[in-house]
Amino acid sequence: MTFGDFDPGFITDLPVFEVLLIIVIAILVDTIFGVILAIQQGNFSWQELPRFLGTNVLPYVLGLVVLSLVSEYQGEPFSFIFYPTALAVLIRYISKVKEKIEKLFGLSNKNS
């Protein structure tokens, strides 16, 4: 199954910690674009940033870290949970980054 030019099957060929690194990078990129978008729209608040990180970023990262550790060191049963979960999170964050880039640069989706 592919999503446009994106083939999610490559995820299962990578080691667990490489997949984790890719996802954490996607989450950080989404967070950075979110901050930039909030600044551009005049909605950014330094006081809200720690709350946002604690409720919207850290749960994903920490949950995936725990799942990746168990998957790496316990093996097969947990790999069957880790890879689909990682793929779902990666697709979600790629979609969110794409939306934020479209908003930041005033791009519209011609296919909608």
Side-chain angles (χ1 to χ4, degrees), residues 52-65:
F52 174 79
L53 294 174
T55 58
N56 293 329
V57 176
L58 286 179
Y60 276 103
V61 172
L62 292 178
L64 285 168
V65 166

Side-chain angles (χ1 to χ4, degrees), residues 22 27 62:
I22 291 169
I27 291 171
L62 292 178

Side-chain angles (χ1 to χ4, degrees), residues 9-68:
F10 82 96
I11 290 291
T12 58
D13 297 333
L14 296 174
V16 169
F17 292 126
E18 286 184 25
V19 173
L20 178 64
L21 180 62
I22 291 169
I23 293 170
V24 169
I25 289 170
I27 291 171
L28 291 175
V29 168
D30 176 64
T31 302
I32 291 167
F33 275 120
V35 167
I36 293 169
L37 188 61
I39 290 170
Q40 184 185 46
Q41 294 175 344
N43 298 329
F44 183 75
S45 169
W46 284 104
Q47 293 81 12
E48 287 296 312
L49 186 59
R51 183 198 59 77
F52 174 79
L53 294 174
T55 58
N56 293 329
V57 176
L58 286 179
Y60 276 103
V61 172
L62 292 178
L64 285 168
V65 166
V66 169
L67 189 55
S68 68

